Amino acid sequence: MATCIEQRGRSSWRVSISAGYKDGKQQKIHRSFRFPEEWSTEKQRKEVEKKAAILYSEFFNKQIAPGRDMLFSEFADLWLKEYAKINLEEKNCYGAQSRLKGHILPYFGNMRMSKIRTLTITKFINSLSAWKNPRTGFKLAPRTVINYITQLSSIFSTAVRWEIISNNPCCRIIKPKVESPDIVIPNETESVIILKLLEQESIKYQCIVYIGMMTGLRLGEIVGLKWSDIDFQAKQITVVRAMTYVPKIGNFDKSTKTKTSKRTVTVPVIILEKLILLQSRQQLDRERLGSKWQENSYLFISYDGSPLGHNTPSRWFRRFLLKVRQKQRDTQIAEGISEDHIKVIPIIRFHDLRHFHASILLAEGVDLETVSRRLGHARTSTTANIYCHPVMGRDAMASDTIENVLIKRAYLVNN
């Protein structure tokens, strides 16, 4: 349920309250108020805000009166205002609103809350799984469908707590199976190629990739770094924030993902050396642009000093890898290698550098707890389950090791 306040004249105001949906159309309740013309606009606004709060409170209490069988659309408005916008982060709240608008309200909007059963939810899930995007022809991924189920369950469980309904119809829903995709990470040889060709790129992106590969920081954490987070003397980076993006809001800082995500990690000297070069580059740009320069304290910025977009490094990294792959392809073709035997580095996501970091450390014998702490995980089991991927040659080394141990022991026993 949303409240809108607008000034209609010098001393006239109107308050509008969303009252849910009927026949696919949003219903609103309007109340007009007039104040003495000698009152300032600020005084009028304060007074109308008080009246709007009272009006909303009265309407809200009426809506959730015991025994009233609300429309799903009515309760969804209440859930957004009284739960989602208060308890969810901006990004999650935006996603919830998008899901409501896209599929949930068109399907459930005109249904009474008490009439929605587990079978109703099941039919919705089946229709959602079969739906195809009219523009791309693609179906929704199983994980996306699960996001819809999770949101519906949150809405109905809230309705149970608020005594609108007696039980949550999502409790007995069978969720679609989600197969975890294979994570592709560069092996040692490919990572050396990436770092070698990276030297031809701008110092800004050199720093970003080096930090990703050598610290395991998340992309949002990297983009959210400020110069005050770098301790050159102690050779450490402190992570206290992450940058995120929400449509219609833009880029903004938020606290780290979990309490344990706030951490300090020691970094290789080469990262600090490249950061010093980055500082020098930014100083030259600052002097060149003069008054057009936008001063801020972020490490990674655009050409004019403004904060770098949250997804900019990810898009750049993909273009960089495509360029590397094309260079590898051209070199091998020039050497007479047939198309069937050409080998190029895989296309990986920027986030896969985090996987690479963890896998290398674990393969080289760094203990699980240390790796988990560097990654900012709350539990070491998360690190063990997600980030322990085999690095090229290590699996063969493990096989050789176990073989040598057993054969050696067998030899000693026989002799």
Side-chain angles (χ1 to χ4, degrees), residues 36 64 77 91 119 225 243 249 337:
I64 62 172
D77 280 343
K91 189 173 184 178
L119 179 60
L225 286 174
M243 185 174 286
I249 296 178
I337 298 175

Side-chain angles (χ1 to χ4, degrees), residues 30-313:
H30 304 289
R31 293 289 186 274
S32 296
F33 300 94
R34 182 176 292 277
F35 304 101
E37 293 189 4
E38 60 270 19
W39 283 16
S40 66
T41 301
E42 182 179 357
K43 184 176 180 179
Q44 291 182 42
R45 174 170 287 280
K46 287 182 179 179
E47 189 63 28
V48 77
E49 286 176 350
K50 292 179 183 178
K51 292 183 178 296
I54 294 172
L55 184 64
Y56 175 82
S57 178
E58 292 175 349
F59 186 73
F60 176 82
N61 291 332
K62 181 180 178 182
Q63 292 296 92
I64 62 172
R68 185 177 184 277
D69 195 2
M70 300 177 67
L71 289 173
F72 180 90
S73 59
E74 292 178 290
F75 187 79
D77 280 343
L78 288 175
W79 178 83
L80 271 177
K81 185 174 181 64
E82 303 300 328
Y83 175 80
K85 292 184 178 180
I86 295 173
N87 297 286
L88 302 183
E89 292 184 355
E90 289 90 341
K91 189 173 184 178
N92 294 334
C93 190
Y94 177 83
Q97 290 175 298
S98 298
R99 285 187 286 272
L100 279 170
K101 182 178 179 181
H103 291 280
I104 295 177
L105 281 177
Y107 193 94
F108 295 101
N110 292 325
M111 296 183 186
R112 296 289 175 182
M113 291 289 289
S114 66
K115 304 299 181 182
I116 299 175
R117 300 284 188 266
T118 302
L119 179 60
T120 317
I121 308 291
T122 301
K123 288 182 177 180
F124 170 70
I125 295 168
N126 292 338
S127 68
L128 206 60
S129 299
W131 180 83
K132 290 184 179 181
N133 188 308
R135 184 173 58 85
T136 64
F138 293 146
K139 290 185 175 182
L140 294 177
R143 193 172 299 277
T144 302
V145 176
I146 288 177
N147 289 339
Y148 276 90
I149 298 172
T150 301
Q151 181 169 339
L152 281 171
S153 183
S154 175
I155 291 173
F156 286 113
S157 63
T158 303
V160 172
R161 287 196 302 273
W162 292 352
E163 300 179 342
I164 303 298
I165 54 178
S166 58
N167 61 79
N168 181 351
C170 292
C171 289
R172 293 174 291 278
I173 289 295
I174 300 175
K175 296 181 180 180
K177 292 183 179 180
V178 177
E179 295 183 5
S180 299
D182 293 332
I183 297 175
V184 180
I185 61 173
N187 56 39
E188 291 98 323
T189 303
E190 292 164 346
S191 62
V192 170
I193 292 173
I194 290 174
L195 291 178
K196 183 178 179 179
L197 294 176
L198 188 64
E199 295 300 316
Q200 303 172 19
E201 303 296 324
S202 71
I203 186 62
K204 172 172 64 181
Y205 288 113
Q206 288 183 44
C207 290
I208 290 174
V209 174
Y210 266 87
I211 291 175
M213 293 183 77
M214 296 187 177
T215 69
L217 266 64
R218 302 174 180 91
L219 179 56
E221 294 171 340
I222 295 174
V223 180
L225 286 174
K226 297 185 177 182
W227 286 107
S228 58
D229 301 324
I230 313 300
D231 189 332
F232 286 91
Q233 186 172 0
K235 302 176 184 177
Q236 293 177 332
I237 290 178
T238 299
V239 182
V240 294
R241 77 191 68 78
M243 185 174 286
T244 190
Y245 171 80
V246 176
K248 299 181 181 180
I249 296 178
N251 295 299
F252 61 93
D253 285 343
K254 68 180 185 67
S255 59
T256 50
K257 191 173 183 180
T258 63
K259 183 179 180 180
T260 50
S261 292
K262 292 184 178 181
R263 62 202 186 277
T264 298
V265 297
T266 304
V267 300
V269 174
I270 189 171
I271 288 181
L272 302 175
E273 292 174 345
K274 288 187 175 295
L275 287 176
I276 291 173
L277 292 176
L278 178 64
Q279 278 184 322
S280 300
R281 176 73 259 181
Q282 290 179 0
Q283 181 58 34
L284 291 174
D285 291 339
R286 183 183 288 107
E287 294 172 357
R288 178 174 54 84
L289 287 177
S291 61
K292 295 181 180 179
W293 180 263
Q294 299 183 36
E295 195 66 50
N296 71 75
S297 57
Y298 289 101
L299 255 70
F300 303 114
I301 52 181
S302 300
Y303 72 96
D304 60 351
S306 58
L308 194 66
H310 171 264
N311 291 319
T312 300

Side-chain angles (χ1 to χ4, degrees), residues 313-329:
S314 188
R315 291 193 293 267
W316 173 88
F317 189 62
R318 179 174 178 81
R319 292 195 301 270
F320 168 71
L321 290 181
L322 289 173
K323 186 166 59 176
V324 171
R325 285 163 60 92
Q326 188 59 51
K327 185 173 294 188
Q328 289 180 305
R329 184 179 296 278

